[in-house]
Amino acid sequence: MKKLKTVLFAVCTALSAAVVQAEAVEGKDYIVRSNVIEAVQPDKIEVVEFFGYFCPHCQRLDPIILRHVRTLPADTVYRTEHVVWQPQHLPFARLLAAVNQAGVKRQANPAIFQAVINEGKNLGDEATFRAWAQQQAFGSKLLAAYDDPKSSAAAHNMQQLTERYQIQSTPQVIVGGKYELTFANGFEAGMKTLDELVAKVRTERGMPAAAPKAVLPSRGGSFARQANQ
């Protein structure tokens, strides 16, 4: 009996230690930014990703984070910004703006990453992009958004954000404007850290407990646009 109690105590101690270790650790799982990202929706907890279509690490993160953000509660929103470090990156930012506006992110992103990184296509070249887009199922919607002046304006805004917030690497995922994930244990594990940081921001702001996102019965146009952004 004494031996059994000892074993049970050891197991409980180990489980408790595991719970403690599972909590996100500042300096390991995330860092606190001194340059806080300004919120577009101040009444929401924003998860902002700075990335590049030319970045292989971003390509690996993309399906993981797009799947995970579907589970975020109603008080939390996800947005993406394309980095613009050089003039040739500006067309890619315009492409992302078009993807967002057309509401085709979940279909378009894998295809864009595949074309740019795996096939070596320069979708930053407008003629190359247009020829490629015409071959995609979502191409007409994407081209219409690409030609909208709003996409060009959004791209220039991404350039300003890249400079203002001194984004020097990709991907960078920032929660609540100030907590930046390090992905020390990989992208999948980083999703748990993301959730913990969302809860941390909610507590710091004194926000009420979050309600789950409403599940809409139809995959209509407005839902598709929201889901893809």
Side-chain angles (χ1 to χ4, degrees), residues 1 10 13 17 24-25 28 35 51 65 67 79 86 90 93 138 141 154 168 178 180 183 192 202 208 218:
M1 179 63 74
T13 301
V25 177
K28 178 179 179 293
N35 192 345
F51 82 104
I65 196 167
R67 181 176 66 247
R79 81 172 204 260
Q86 303 171 18
L90 197 58
F138 49 82
K141 293 173 71 174
Q168 298 179 350
K178 65 177 183 177
E180 181 181 321
F183 298 108
K192 182 177 183 299
R202 184 181 297 115
S218 167

Side-chain angles (χ1 to χ4, degrees), residues 30 68 71 82 91 122 129 140 145 154 178 214 224:
Y30 69 94
H68 187 78
T71 69
H82 198 288
N122 180 15
F129 162 69
S140 58
K178 65 177 183 177

Side-chain angles (χ1 to χ4, degrees), residues 40-140:
V40 173
Q41 301 183 57
D43 61 330
K44 299 288 187 179
I45 301 171
E46 290 191 341
V47 176
V48 184
E49 179 189 4
F50 286 89
F51 82 104
Y53 278 128
F54 47 76
C55 165
H57 299 297
C58 302
Q59 182 184 30
R60 289 194 290 273
L61 171 62
D62 193 67
I64 296 170
I65 196 167
L66 287 184
R67 181 176 66 247
H68 187 78
V69 295
R70 287 178 167 177
T71 69
L72 293 177
D75 65 353
T76 305
V77 294
Y78 167 70
R79 81 172 204 260
T80 49
E81 307 286 356
H82 198 288
V83 293
V84 181
W85 291 319
Q86 303 171 18
Q88 56 264 41
H89 295 163
L90 197 58
F92 287 105
R94 180 182 175 187
L95 175 53
L96 171 62
V99 166
N100 286 340
Q101 183 174 330
V104 295
K105 181 175 288 181
R106 297 186 190 281
Q107 304 100 300
N109 270 13
I112 295 171
F113 279 120
Q114 172 70 23
V116 174
I117 295 176
N118 300 101
E119 299 173 9
K121 289 184 170 65
N122 180 15
L123 298 189
D125 174 73
E126 187 167 342
T128 302
F129 162 69
R130 290 185 180 280
W132 173 86
Q134 288 169 3
Q135 300 173 358
Q136 310 305 314
F138 49 82
S140 58

